[in-house]
Amino acid sequence: MPMLLKSQTVKARKVHACCTCHTPAVRPGEEYRRDTYVFDGRVYDWVMCTACIAIEGFVFAWCDYVDDGIGAEQYDEWARDTGWGADNEPEAQTDEQKGALAYLARRGMIVAHSWVGVAGHPDDPECAHREDGTDATYCGEPEYRHLWSTR
């Protein structure tokens, strides 16, 4: 099991990638947590953004077995398990479901809008959602990458 040597909240001087969501989530001037661990004789740092820290309790509660600690794989599994079952209406979602959906969006596993199929082509795998309201660009992502389907 990893042994925690030091845990500190620090202010970033440069951009850091979160070890959990793998996004450059920590920007200069923002606070983040840096934990130093030793495991199998190797010392390493684990950087976490504030968004991943906020859902840490949910992931620990979801995991059955954490002797080796939890990492990005457990966060991914928890988010898929919790987020895919979330209600379509944000008002009906629990804080855990909202956290899971936000995590999935940060990881690029889903986009933050509903599926909008190509008009007249219900079997077309591309989404016709246009963020900017123009005809020049559209989402183009398949249905499974969206928060939920409108079908």
Side-chain angles (χ1 to χ4, degrees):
M1 178 169 179
M3 185 173 75
L4 180 65
L5 298 177
K6 178 174 66 169
S7 181
Q8 58 186 357
T9 301
V10 294
K11 191 174 281 195
R13 290 180 288 178
K14 64 178 188 172
V15 174
H16 293 282
C18 177
C19 293
T20 305
C21 64
H22 304 292
T23 62
V26 183
R27 302 209 173 1
E30 294 179 347
E31 288 190 345
Y32 68 98
R33 191 172 77 205
R34 178 177 292 274
D35 295 336
T36 304
Y37 290 94
V38 64
F39 183 68
D40 286 343
R42 187 181 64 112
V43 176
Y44 64 94
D45 284 337
W46 190 267
V47 172
M48 283 182 71
C49 66
T50 55
C52 286
I53 293 168
I55 60 175
E56 185 176 36
F58 295 128
V59 180
F60 267 103
W62 177 83
C63 288
D64 290 331
Y65 184 74
V66 293
D67 274 355
D68 291 335
I70 62 170
E73 299 84 19
Q74 288 78 20
Y75 272 77
D76 286 354
E77 290 174 21
W78 163 81
R80 282 190 205 103
D81 189 45
T82 305
W84 294 134
D87 194 285
N88 289 357
E89 299 300 320
E91 303 83 34
Q93 295 170 357
T94 65
D95 288 342
E96 183 175 13
Q97 290 172 332
K98 289 176 183 176
L101 290 170
Y103 176 83
L104 290 169
R106 279 196 313 281
R107 290 278 285 133
M109 296 176 175
I110 57 173
V111 293
H113 65 266
S114 299
W115 164 261
V116 181
V118 176
H121 301 278
D123 296 330
D124 198 314
E126 294 181 347
C127 174
H129 177 82
R130 290 174 173 81
E131 287 286 339
D132 59 4
T134 68
D135 289 339
T137 60
Y138 65 95
C139 171
E141 292 290 339
E143 188 170 7
Y144 76 90
R145 293 268 323 255
H146 290 74
L147 285 176
W148 51 76
S149 174
T150 54
R151 294 194 231 193

